[in-house]
Amino acid sequence: VSSTPSTSMSETRSTVGFHERLITIVSHNASDTPTKFLLMKPMTYQELSEVLSTRESSPVTALVFIPIPYPHYRLPREGELISPWTRGAFTIPLQEGLMLTVVRTLTGDKTKVFKYSELGQSSGTMEEIFSPLLRRDNLVIRSIKECSTGSDIRSNIFSIQDLKSINTFPTIAFIDTIDDYPKFLTRISSTAPRPIKVLSTFAEKLIEKTSISNVAPLQKIHIARGAFHLVASAAGPNQTAGLNEEQLADLLELEGFLSDIEECIGLDQYDAAKEAIERLFYQLCEDRPGAFEVRCSYGRFMEFKYMDDGSTSQSTVKAHGIEEPPFMRLSQLSEYTIIVYDILPSFG
């Protein structure tokens, strides 16, 4: 079993479910203010790049964001469509030698941009090269992974030529700097805007429904809780006023997610449920308020997969930093619903 997501999970990109929306365009230049682009019809990354290039002094390429298991940006394939779930694009100039790393911090996954000229003469391991650069932001490296395989490259010798050959280029590494991952929100503020309260009630009912599912129940609970977290994150923590246009669009999309999750809960064939679960989890990880915490829960999601079906190899589970669960399969225990709710609060 591969340690990377299946094609259905990592490449769920089509025109199905397209809706007009604003996406955020972030430049490689950190000093540039992000801009909004109205996506009015299905569009390829090449078409978006051409439109954005007319606004810049030089041609740019819009990169594809892959949120899990190791968040990174890659070059688009020929004719690749922007996913209906994509919320933004990261752009780099075509003619300038740049490489990217995605750094996981306590406040989110941050994209760091480096020029060849800055690092070209550097020598040492990956850790030796990047530790001083991250120390400027008071960050300490916990791990360095190759994004497509999850291979530990912390001790690899830094070589621009070698890094340019990896299939996630221009992203060369995912660097984790945190020990304790954030948890899902489990409550909605009493002062939250009404649309959020309504959707959160829907999400809570889905969590209850998953507890009696006989097919992949833990994975279903996890995506239902992830959806609740995104609903709770759709507005600011102290927001009591009405929602703006972008927040309302978020909630409409989340309502669609919840309907899809409800349909998924009813699937009683594991193969069909597995495909739907992976697609939904991937979509929940796309860049939106609250998605960072869902991405951070990927390891837990893989653990639930192992517990639900027992088919994921131990080596695959451990590759994501998860040890074999020290208890028997929950589906083999009596009073299943009670046990599930007893353990849920500690998961995130």
Side-chain angles (χ1 to χ4, degrees), residues 206-207 210 213-225 261 264-268 273 277 301 308:
L206 292 182
I207 295 172
T210 59
S213 174
N214 292 320
V215 178
L218 294 180
Q219 294 170 84
K220 290 177 180 178
I221 288 174
H222 192 68
I223 61 172
R225 291 190 66 231
I261 291 170
C264 174
I265 292 170
L267 296 174
D268 56 7
I277 287 166
F301 177 78
D308 273 336

Side-chain angles (χ1 to χ4, degrees), residues 1 16 26 42 46 58 66 114 125 142 144 155 182 186 203 208 238 243 250-251 258 280-281 283 302:
V1 180
V16 175
V26 179
Q46 181 180 356
S58 59
I66 305 298
F114 302 97
T125 65
R142 179 174 174 265
I144 305 179
S155 300
T186 57
E208 292 175 6
N238 300 312
L243 302 171
D250 278 346
L251 289 181
L258 293 176
L280 288 166
F281 183 72
Q283 290 169 358
M302 289 297 291

Side-chain angles (χ1 to χ4, degrees), residues 268-284:
D268 56 7
Q269 296 296 319
Y270 184 72
D271 287 345
K274 176 183 175 182
E275 183 177 349
I277 287 166
E278 290 190 344
R279 172 177 54 81
L280 288 166
F281 183 72
Y282 187 88
Q283 290 169 358
L284 292 175

Side-chain angles (χ1 to χ4, degrees), residues 12-157:
T12 307
R13 299 180 179 275
S14 70
T15 60
V16 175
F18 175 82
H19 54 282
E20 183 178 302
R21 66 195 185 281
L22 288 170
I23 61 175
T24 303
I25 308 299
V26 179
S27 168
H28 73 287
N29 189 341
S31 63
D32 291 348
T33 302
T35 59
K36 298 291 185 181
F37 178 83
L38 180 60
L39 198 63
M40 301 180 65
K41 62 179 182 178
M43 180 178 283
T44 66
Y45 280 92
Q46 181 180 356
E47 291 169 335
L48 176 62
S49 298
E50 290 171 355
V51 172
L52 297 178
S53 293
T54 63
R55 304 179 180 181
E56 305 290 336
S57 56
S58 59
V60 297
T61 296
L63 302 177
V64 183
F65 178 58
I66 305 298
I68 54 175
Y70 305 103
H72 62 279
Y73 292 92
R74 63 162 172 79
L75 293 170
R77 302 186 179 101
E78 185 175 356
E80 183 169 2
L81 285 166
I82 299 170
S83 161
W85 317 111
T86 295
R87 308 304 307 283
F90 189 87
T91 63
I92 60 172
L94 285 177
Q95 305 302 324
E96 193 170 345
L98 298 175
M99 60 181 70
L100 315 177
T101 62
V102 175
V103 181
R104 177 155 290 171
T105 73
L106 288 171
T107 56
D109 293 324
K110 313 294 185 183
T111 305
K112 302 286 186 180
V113 182
F114 302 97
K115 293 183 178 181
Y116 294 172
S117 56
E118 293 175 326
L119 301 175
Q121 304 303 314
S122 303
S123 61
T125 65
M126 293 287 285
E127 183 175 18
E128 290 168 342
I129 298 300
F130 287 104
S131 283
L133 299 174
L134 298 183
R135 203 173 294 131
R136 301 171 187 169
D137 298 321
N138 297 316
L139 298 173
V140 177
I141 292 175
R142 179 174 174 265
S143 66
I144 305 179
K145 303 284 189 180
E146 200 274 291
C147 296
S148 64
T149 65
S151 299
D152 184 354
I153 57 173
R154 188 169 181 160
S155 300
N156 287 20
I157 298 299

